[in-house]
Structures are given as C-alpha cells and as structure tokens.
Amino acid sequence: MKLTSLLTTKFSKDKNIPLVLWIWRSYFRTSLIPLLCVEVALVVIYFLSNSISNSANVEALRQLAEDEAKQVSILEAKGIGRQLESISQATTFLQIQTGQIMGADKALQMDDPTRFAYSKEGVFYTSRDNGGGAVFYSGVFPVGEAERQKAYRSAGLDPAYMGIKQSNALIVQVYYNTFDSLNRIYPYIDVISAYTPKMDIPTFNFYYEADAKHNPKRKVVWTDVYKDPAGQGWMTSAIAPVYSGKKLEGVVGVDVTVDTIVSEVLDLKIPWQGYGLLISREGNIIAMPKVGTQDWGKKELVTKKIVGENTKDTLAPVDFNIYKSATKGSSAQALAEEIRKQDSGVMSANLGGKRLVSWSLIPETGWKLIITIPEDNIFSSVQTLSQRLDRFAWLMVFGLLIFYFIFFSVLYRQARKMSKSISEPLEQIDAMVETVAAGKELQKVPEFSVSELSSTAQGVKHMGLLLDKASNLRQQAEAELKSRSQQLQSVFDLSPDGLILTDEGGRVVLVNPALCSMTGIKADEWLLNESAVIWQKLAHLTATPEQLLLGTEQNFRLELERPRKRVLSCQILNVTDNIANDPNGKEDAGTIHLIYLRDITRDDEVDQMKSEFITTAAHELRTPLTSVLGYSELLMKDMIPQALREGAFELVIGKTKLLINIINEM
C-alpha cells in the first residue's frame, strides 16, 4: 500500500480515497458541520417559535370563537324560543276557545250548510270557500246528523283562527281535529283533493302526541317534523288537547312549515360565515340550510304538495335524525351524543371538515339550536399570517442553500489546490518507498517545504538502510535454518523408529518412513488427521482396540496384529516448552506433540527365550540333583544295605557326571 493511501486511510473509514476527498471531509467535519448545525438550529428555532406562536394564537382565537359561538347559540335560541312561545300562547288561547265553542249548548255561529257535500266514499266536506275554514269529515266513522251539526258548529272557530294566523308570520295554518276524524282548517284548502278518504286522524302524530298517554298535563306540546296531510309539505305543529270532562274530544294545532323556520334560521347573524340548525327533542332536523347538507350528510326537507297519499303517520325518516343516523364511532356520532346529553355546549367535530359546533336548548319546545362554524373561517387570519412567516422562512432557507452552494464550490477548489500541494511530495516519497522495496539504493533525498514531509523522506532513507541490513541478517538466518532443517529431516527420515508430529491443533503434519513400514499405512493417509484419528488407526491394527481407545498415557506398550505381529513401545513427547493447562488440568490444545514408536519385537522375543531357558534349565538340573541329594543322605545314615551301597555310589557318580555335562552344555 502506498504512503498516500496509508495517510488518507488513517483519517477515514473508507480506504483508498483521493486526498482531495480526504481534505474535503476534514473541512466538512471540522468547520462546515458545526456551521451547518448552527444554521439549521436557527432555522428550526424560527419554525418552532412560529409554530408555537401560531398555536397560541389559534388557541386564544378558538377560546374566543367558542365563547362567542356559545353566546350566539344561547341568544338566538332565546329569540326563536320567544317566537315559539308566542305560538304556544296562541295555541293555548285556541285550546280554550275551542273547548268553549265546541262544548257550548248553543252555537254562536253556524256554517252555511249549502257549501257542504258528500263524496261517493262517504266523506262530508266543504265544496267552496266562503272566507272561513275548510271542513273534512273523513268518513272513517259514518257521518250522520249529529256529526253534520258538529261540523256546522265548528264555524265558530274561524274568528279565532283568523286572528291567530294574522298575529304571527311564522304560522301557516290553524286546525282542529276530533276523535272521529273531523278536521277544520284555516286558511281554506280543497280538502277533497288534499286528504284521503277514510283517513283515521287520531293515528297521526299531530293528534296522538297530545293525548292522555303522551301529554297527561294537557299542555301545549310541539310535534316532531312530519308531512302535512293537507299538502303543505314538511312542518311542525304546536298542539293542545281539548277535553270534555275526561274525554278527549279533539286536538287543536298551529302549523309552522319547515321552510318558514328555515327562513328564520337563515336570517340568523352568525359570525365567521356559520349557519344554524334546528332539531327536535327527538333529534329530527326541523330546519337546516342547504349549506349544512354536506356537513351533516342529510338531504333538505323540501316542501312540496302531497295530495291524496297520506293515510297514516308520516314522521321524518331516520335519515333526518342526527341521533340515529350518525355513523358508529365517527366524530359526528360523538357530537350527536354530546348534544343529546347536554342542554348546551360547544365542541370541535369533523363534519366533512373541521367544524366548531355550539348548541343551546329552546325550553318552550325541547328543541335545540345548533350553530356550526367552519374552523378554517375562524383561523383564516392566523393561518394567513403563519403562511406568510413560513414563506419568509423558506426564502431564508433557499438563500442559505444558494450561499452554501457557492461557498462549497469555492472551498472545494481550495481543497483541490491544497491536495495537489500535498500529493506531489507524497508521490515522490512513494517513489522512494518503492525504490527501497525493490532493494535498490536511494541516490538522492528530495527537500520539501513542509518540515514533516522532509522528516518523512529522511526516515524513508534511514528505513532503507535498516531494511538492507535486516535483509542480509535474514538471509544468513534462513541459510542456517535451512541447513539445520535438512539435518533434522535426515535424522527424521533415517530413524528406524516411527515418528508422528502434530501441530497446535492436534493435526498430523509429519510422519517418517519407519512409521509407514511399521503400520502399513501410507504417509498421505496419516497427514492432516486429528489426534483422535491417529489412535483410531493404531487401534485398528491391534488385537484389543478397546484398550487403546479408552485413552493413552505418556508411555505405554502397543501390540500390533497387522500388517504383522509387532510389539511397539509408544511414548508421547511435548515439543513445546510453554504448555498451558486449563482449570481441569488437561493440556492445552495449542501444544505440539511428537509420538515416538519403537519396534521392541526382538527384545521381547529374547526376553521370552531367556525366561523359557531358565525354566528349562532349572527343571533339568533339579532332577539329577534330587537323586544325588537323596542317595547321599541315605548313605550317610547307613540306611542302604551293604550289598546295595556300591550301586548307590554308582548312581550318585552317574548323576553327578550328568550335571557336569549339562553345565558344560549350558
């Protein structure tokens, strides 16, 4: 590796990078990164401060908007409540008047019988307008003389109807319905085309919501939104029961169409381009401007003529009920639950967009006025200011980017210039190193303006001298080592005893020819085997391999059966001096071993022959000696007769001569 590469690699994680890149990185790490960090920190602080300021302004404005929206809903609800209260009072007056007129013994005013007629379905009705109310007896019960008289008597209600209708612009029509389905309504309408024959009026909500079950206090109540059987479209009514003793004779009502209430709600002056929404106590929409249809996901309650199709109660469908139609788990459902639980309140909800919603109860009817304001309209001024500040900040960032682009370009050119002034001397030093590496002598050491580079050049020269000296010493040492290795190899190869040398890992690295001759295993089959394999191979050659595989000591005897019977003396020597022991006392795996195998078969045979000879000699000597000893003792004790003594002496002399011959043979 060149010196330039070494120098550049020392200061960089990447190897072999150009010097200009190394200098550029040095600039970047020591100067540019801190500068960039400071600049980025300032920009971030600016953005954070702008965000915090914007959040504080939004929160303050939100609180102001919530307070104002709440006050608007309360004040407007009170205003609508006062108007509805006047209608309720008019309904109470009509309730009293109807009870008095219809319950009187003598009628104060009778209708003109000539304008009445029967339809083929049995409906008794008014056929022409005389400026008063219209009458419709549905015929669900037979209309006889008594019923006709009741219809004529109802004309006494017309003055009260006219006065009530003219007293309040919200009132659309006034009516009286009886238990036997008599209907008197003002202003006059063509009842035979508007109503359905046999219509059972008590089954409609504008009747039964005032009965004893639904209205035990006999007060004025307001109905939910329903389709008017008279064809006036969607409307709501203030109704009150008319009793004769405990009997419910009928119900009086004052109708207000949804269009009329919508007009009132649309006229509300709500800040931030908000709008109002009126719902009944059951959650049905009474009045909603067109702008609210998208927010609440509802259709408009459109007023239209509905003729001849109302035979039963026609309340507003669930689609127009904000309590029942909200999607489960949605923000609209959470808002609807709060509106249901609380008489008044304010909260933020997602209704096709962020909306600030406040509501307030109208005690007179149980209705609730809901004020809905788009939050974008509330915070538009703050957001506009924030956007301007953000644009200014991004202009600053763009300006900094341009500045740093120019600055980096200049700095990069400076880095290239500096790298050139450093790389040229380094290249000359590299040439010196290559000369030294080639074993050549340096002719001249160049001088450099940088003292460190000059010192490095002198160091390279001194290094060349030392390397040359070291090279000579190394060559001498290698020659001596080669000579000794050849000598040792000759001894190893010529040794009549088997030798196995293992390395630190326990692998066989060297065997001599004597071992191969003893075992019949070739040298390449021994090499690079683990020490366990050595004993497996030797055990395979023995008659009792189990004893050898159980483990070996430093010195032991080995009897081979193959390739022929041999007796070997085995000795394991530790070649290395520094044998490290582990905590269990076993030798460290890093020890080099020499396994020495000596053929002692002949020595073993000689020892065996000696033992056999001594055993045989002892037996051969013992037999004649026994005879000599026995007869000698008998002769000494005169225990042999005189006639046999000569034969005994001859026997002793003969055995003695035999011993002399045996000893001579030995």
Side-chain angles (χ1 to χ4, degrees):
M1 184 182 291
K2 293 185 177 181
L3 186 59
T4 45
S5 299
L6 290 171
L7 289 174
T8 54
T9 304
K10 182 179 179 181
F11 297 97
S12 174
K13 294 181 180 179
D14 300 326
K15 296 182 178 180
N16 298 324
I17 64 172
L19 182 62
V20 62
L21 182 57
W22 177 79
I23 295 174
W24 170 252
R25 288 184 178 181
S26 299
Y27 280 158
F28 197 79
R29 292 172 183 173
T30 57
S31 301
L32 298 182
I33 288 180
L35 186 60
L36 280 172
C37 290
V38 172
E39 296 288 352
V40 170
L42 290 175
V43 172
V44 170
I45 290 172
Y46 179 84
F47 275 107
L48 285 177
S49 61
N50 183 30
S51 177
I52 293 172
S53 175
N54 183 61
S55 299
N57 291 335
V58 167
E59 189 60 32
L61 192 57
R62 178 187 295 278
Q63 189 62 44
L64 177 64
E66 288 180 356
D67 294 341
E68 187 163 350
K70 191 171 183 179
Q71 290 300 319
V72 167
S73 63
I74 292 173
L75 293 176
E76 296 298 343
K78 287 181 178 179
I80 295 175
R82 284 193 293 268
Q83 295 186 61
L84 297 177
E85 184 180 4
S86 66
I87 296 176
S88 296
Q89 291 173 354
T91 306
T92 301
F93 170 75
L94 183 61
Q95 177 188 26
I96 296 171
Q97 286 290 99
T98 303
Q100 291 175 351
I101 293 173
M102 299 302 293
D105 294 334
K106 185 178 181 181
L108 299 177
Q109 181 179 341
M110 297 292 287
D111 208 332
D112 182 5
T114 61
R115 72 187 190 109
F116 284 82
Y118 277 99
S119 71
K120 61 182 180 179
E121 292 87 0
V123 176
F124 187 64
Y125 65 98
T126 52
S127 59
R128 57 185 174 82
D129 184 8
N130 64 351
V135 174
F136 179 83
Y137 233 134
S138 72
V140 68
F141 295 103
V143 180
E145 180 59 28
E147 285 76 21
R148 289 195 297 273
Q149 291 300 318
K150 184 164 63 173
Y152 300 152
R153 180 181 295 180
S154 66
L157 301 174
D158 285 350
Y161 285 179
M162 296 176 184
I164 290 173
K165 173 68 174 65
Q166 294 173 1
S167 66
N168 195 314
L170 294 178
I171 297 174
V172 177
Q173 57 192 13
V174 186
Y175 58 86
Y176 173 56
N177 292 314
T178 66
F179 69 94
D180 55 355
S181 296
L182 165 67
N183 170 257
R184 187 172 190 95
I185 187 168
Y186 177 85
Y188 182 87
I189 61 172
D190 183 6
V191 292
I192 197 66
S193 61
Y195 296 148
T196 303
K198 309 298 181 181
M199 184 172 66
D200 189 4
I201 291 179
T203 63
F204 287 81
N205 68 311
F206 51 79
Y207 186 94
Y208 66 72
E209 288 185 9
D211 64 16
K213 178 181 178 181
H214 296 84
N215 185 17
K217 295 183 179 180
R218 303 182 181 183
K219 300 292 185 181
V220 175
V221 294
W222 285 83
T223 68
D224 277 335
V225 176
Y226 65 93
K227 279 184 180 178
D228 179 30
Q232 297 298 324
W234 293 101
M235 63 172 50
T236 182
S237 300
I239 59 176
V242 177
Y243 282 85
S244 175
K246 292 185 178 181
K247 180 183 178 182
L248 178 61
E249 291 289 341
V251 175
V252 296
V254 177
D255 287 343
V256 180
T257 64
V258 170
D259 276 354
T260 305
I261 301 176
V262 168
S263 299
E264 289 291 320
V265 173
L266 287 174
D267 289 339
L268 297 178
K269 303 301 181 183
I270 300 173
W272 297 296
Q273 299 178 2
Y275 62 88
L277 175 70
L278 194 63
I279 63 172
S280 70
R281 59 180 176 272
E282 301 298 330
N284 289 319
I285 297 174
I286 297 174
M288 179 177 66
K290 187 174 182 179
V291 68
T293 57
Q294 285 187 332
D295 287 352
W296 295 89
K298 312 295 182 186
K299 298 178 181 179
E300 290 185 278
L301 290 174
V302 180
T303 300
K304 62 181 180 179
K305 296 294 182 181
I306 306 169
V307 181
E309 61 181 44
N310 291 289
T311 60
K312 59 181 180 179
D313 199 353
T314 52
L315 298 175
V318 175
D319 288 346
F320 292 94
N321 189 302
I322 68 170
Y323 296 158
K324 299 178 181 179
S325 62
T327 303
K328 187 176 181 180
S330 65
S331 179
Q333 185 192 35
L335 174 63
E337 286 298 320
E338 286 297 316
I339 295 174
R340 184 203 296 267
K341 295 175 183 177
Q342 305 292 333
D343 289 344
S344 62
V346 60
M347 68 178 290
S348 180
N350 189 358
L351 304 173
K354 287 290 185 179
R355 301 290 185 266
L356 184 64
V357 181
S358 66
W359 65 92
S360 185
L361 178 69
I362 301 174
E364 179 66 24
T365 59
W367 298 351
K368 289 180 180 177
L369 176 65
I370 302 174
I371 301 299
T372 306
I373 302 173
E375 289 192 3
D376 289 343
N377 296 345
I378 299 173
F379 307 125
S380 59
S381 58
V382 175
Q383 291 173 349
T384 300
L385 178 60
S386 177
Q387 290 171 358
R388 290 178 180 176
L389 294 175
D390 286 343
R391 282 197 294 271
F392 177 72
W394 286 115
L395 286 175
M396 290 174 56
V397 171
F398 183 70
L400 285 173
L401 291 175
I402 294 176
F403 166 75
Y404 277 111
F405 177 76
I406 298 173
F407 180 64
F408 288 168
S409 300
V410 173
L411 198 61
Y412 183 73
R413 283 195 292 269
Q414 185 66 24
R416 289 181 63 87
K417 182 178 179 181
M418 182 175 293
S419 68
K420 186 176 181 181
S421 63
I422 296 175
S423 62
E424 289 179 353
L426 290 178
E427 289 175 356
Q428 296 182 36
I429 294 175
D430 282 339
M432 293 173 60
V433 172
E434 290 177 354
T435 301
V436 171
K440 300 178 181 179
E441 183 180 356
L442 293 174
Q443 300 298 326
K444 181 180 180 183
V445 178
E447 292 291 335
F448 304 113
S449 59
V450 180
S451 60
E452 286 81 359
L453 294 176
S454 296
S455 177
T456 301
Q458 293 296 331
V460 171
K461 179 180 180 181
H462 182 64
M463 178 185 67
L465 296 175
L466 293 177
L467 288 175
D468 185 57
K469 183 178 179 181
S471 178
N472 294 332
L473 293 175
R474 179 180 60 79
Q475 291 176 0
Q476 294 177 6
E478 287 178 351
E480 293 178 3
L481 181 60
K482 184 176 181 181
S483 175
R484 293 187 61 185
S485 297
Q486 290 175 349
Q487 294 174 4
L488 290 175
Q489 186 65 41
S490 299
V491 172
F492 198 80
D493 291 340
L494 296 175
S495 173
D497 301 322
L499 298 173
I500 302 174
L501 184 65
T502 64
D503 62 8
E504 293 86 347
R507 293 183 298 272
V508 177
V509 295
L510 189 63
V511 295
N512 68 339
L515 175 71
C516 299
S517 176
M518 289 178 183
T519 61
I521 299 174
K522 296 180 180 179
D524 56 355
E525 295 181 23
W526 285 106
L527 295 178
L528 300 181
N529 285 313
E530 301 290 338
S531 59
V533 179
I534 299 174
W535 305 120
Q536 290 176 4
K537 288 180 177 295
L538 292 175
H540 180 68
L541 303 177
T542 63
T544 56
E546 296 80 5
Q547 297 178 358
L548 187 61
L549 293 176
L550 290 175
T552 59
E553 299 178 355
Q554 293 293 325
N555 296 282
F556 57 92
R557 176 188 176 92
L558 186 61
E559 296 182 4
L560 300 184
E561 291 290 329
R562 290 178 292 274
R564 67 183 181 84
K565 289 187 177 182
R566 291 178 186 270
V567 179
L568 303 180
S569 172
C570 185
Q571 185 176 5
I572 302 175
L573 303 175
N574 295 335
V575 179
T576 52
D577 294 329
N578 52 338
I579 300 176
N581 294 330
D582 64 9
N584 297 323
K586 296 181 179 179
E587 292 184 359
D588 184 73
T591 303
I592 299 175
H593 291 96
L594 177 64
I595 302 173
Y596 173 73
L597 299 171
R598 182 166 176 251
D599 190 350
I600 59 173
T601 305
R602 181 60 181 167
D603 296 342
D604 189 68
E605 290 176 351
V606 170
D607 288 342
Q608 187 175 359
M609 290 173 62
K610 184 189 298 182
S611 298
E612 292 176 354
F613 173 75
I614 292 173
T615 301
T616 303
H619 176 72
E620 293 294 332
L621 290 175
R622 187 180 292 110
T623 302
L625 281 175
T626 302
S627 299
V628 172
L629 179 61
Y631 278 102
S632 297
E633 288 179 349
L634 292 173
L635 289 171
M636 285 180 66
K637 295 179 179 180
D638 293 328
M639 294 178 68
I640 299 175
Q642 187 65 33
L644 299 176
R645 289 174 67 88
E646 184 177 355
F649 279 118
E650 290 177 358
L651 179 63
V652 169
I653 292 170
K655 294 295 183 182
T656 303
K657 289 179 178 180
L658 178 62
L659 285 173
I660 292 171
N661 291 332
I662 292 174
I663 291 171
N664 289 334
E665 288 179 1
M666 291 174 61

